[in-house]
């Protein structure tokens, strides 16, 4: 796989009486890999990165892949720096001085002031800003300074490249639930993720479906806008996500990619 990365005297006071100790730092949240459950990504750290403690995440054909919150918090920055620096990026405030940064995004999926939890899609992998190719630039900061990243309390590899598997948003089975909404007509089920595949049945309007995995395919305009996402609801059975209410804009974080 071709990898593409971005290089992005205090005075001392002497007190005659009592020395007041500094307040202890707040414990870090339990951060998780910033991608949906069960996905594996190659993460690289290097000493000439800016900041050095950041990780660049990459995998094959990752442009547009969903990025999720690595811990619960409140979104406090959603901005676009144009063709420089982070480009489109999101910052999440986790409290206690802890923040995370998600940079070079292709698009946003949250707004300032929004509360997010594990597995919440906040944006999509892109190559905006000072980037030479699609990837996610990710940081964990304490008190405004980038620190060495930890996932589930274990420090990431410094320095080098490592594959990280996400358990972000995993809960029980890795399936999702959806409700078909076609405003009356049955929804055609295809043998593959696209309108060019053969029809193998229908699902009634209003019926519930179990989504085993999701993938990209033919772009379809339906009840929930225009989408290229297709949901596998059984062996060799796919329906367009544009007609399925799942509670998410885009991919469901807990459902694997087909």
């Amino acid at each position: 796989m071709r990898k593409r990365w971005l290089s992005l005297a205090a005075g001392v006071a002497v007190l005659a009486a009592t020395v007041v100790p500094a307040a202890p730092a707040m414990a870090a949240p339990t951060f998780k890999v910033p991608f949906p459950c069960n996905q594996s990504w190659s993460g690289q750290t290097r000493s000439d990165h800016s900041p050095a403690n950041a990780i660049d995440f990459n995998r094959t054909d990752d442009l547009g892949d969903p990025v999720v919150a690595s811990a619960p918090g409140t979104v406090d920055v959603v901005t676009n720096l144009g063709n420089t620096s982070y480009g489109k990026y999101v910052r999440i405030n986790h409290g206690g001085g802890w923040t995370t940064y998600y940079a070079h995004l292709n698009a946003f999926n949250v707004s300032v002031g929004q509360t997010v939890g594990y597995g919440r899609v906040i944006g999509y992998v892109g190559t905006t800003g000072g980037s030479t190719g699609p990837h996610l630039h990710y940081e964990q900061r304490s008190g405004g300074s980038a620190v060495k990243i930890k996932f589930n309390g274990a420090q990431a590899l410094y320095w080098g490249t490592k594959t990280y598997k996400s358990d972000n948003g995993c809960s029980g089975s890795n399936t999702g639930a959806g409700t078909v909404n076609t405003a009356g007509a049955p929804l055609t089920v295809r043998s593959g993720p696209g309108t060019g595949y053969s029809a193998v049945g229908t699902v009634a309007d209003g019926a519930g479906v179990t989504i085993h995995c999701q993938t990209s395919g033919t772009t379809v305009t339906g009840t929930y806008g225009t989408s290229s996402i297709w949901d596998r609801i059984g062996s060799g059975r796919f329906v367009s996500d544009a007609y399925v209410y799942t509670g998410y804009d885009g991919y469901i974080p807990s459902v694997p990619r087909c």
Side-chain angles (χ1 to χ4, degrees):
M1 176 180 67
R2 180 168 63 92
K3 294 184 173 60
R4 306 146 294 189
W5 312 108
L6 167 69
S7 296
L8 297 163
V12 178
V14 179
L15 302 180
T18 306
V19 176
V20 179
M26 296 292 289
T30 300
F31 293 112
K32 295 183 179 291
V33 175
F35 298 103
C37 178
N38 285 335
Q39 288 190 2
S40 293
W41 287 74
S42 176
Q44 186 192 67
T45 57
R46 60 187 188 279
S47 58
D48 63 350
H49 204 176
S50 180
N53 288 327
I55 293 182
D56 276 347
F57 282 104
N58 192 215
R59 72 174 187 172
T60 302
D61 297 326
D62 53 9
L63 180 64
D65 280 356
V67 176
V68 306
S70 58
T74 302
V75 176
D76 63 0
V77 174
V78 177
T79 195
N80 183 0
L81 300 180
N83 294 325
T84 63
S85 187
Y86 293 165
K88 293 181 180 180
Y89 81 98
V90 169
R91 185 176 73 186
I92 299 176
N93 188 328
H94 305 281
W98 289 93
T99 56
T100 49
Y101 285 65
Y102 311 77
H104 307 311
L105 299 175
N106 184 52
F108 305 121
N109 196 48
V110 287
S111 56
V112 172
Q114 187 171 343
T115 300
V116 295
Y118 288 119
R120 176 65 165 85
V121 176
I122 62 170
Y124 303 91
V125 173
T127 184
T128 58
S131 170
T132 58
H135 70 283
L136 175 71
H137 172 100
Y138 173 79
E139 299 175 25
Q140 293 174 3
R141 294 195 179 199
S142 177
S145 298
V147 298
K148 288 190 173 180
I149 288 166
K150 292 183 178 180
F151 296 123
N152 294 322
Q155 184 177 289
L157 173 67
Y158 288 88
W159 308 95
T161 301
K162 177 180 176 179
T163 297
Y164 298 87
K165 185 173 181 179
S166 176
D167 66 348
N168 196 334
C170 298
S171 58
S173 65
N174 296 320
T175 59
T179 303
V180 173
N181 183 357
T182 60
L187 178 61
T188 301
V189 179
R190 301 283 179 177
S191 61
T195 54
Y197 289 86
S198 59
V200 293
T202 60
V203 179
D205 182 28
V209 292
T210 298
I211 301 170
H212 299 278
C213 64
Q214 295 178 297
T215 189
S216 61
T218 304
T219 298
V220 173
T221 298
T223 309
Y224 299 106
T226 300
S227 177
S228 62
I229 299 172
W230 285 73
D231 306 327
R232 185 172 71 79
I233 60 173
S235 179
R237 293 172 58 83
F238 291 80
V239 293
S240 170
D241 194 66
Y243 288 102
V244 181
Y245 177 77
T246 63
Y248 293 92
D249 293 327
Y251 289 96
I252 303 172
S254 60
V255 173
R257 296 284 293 274
C258 300

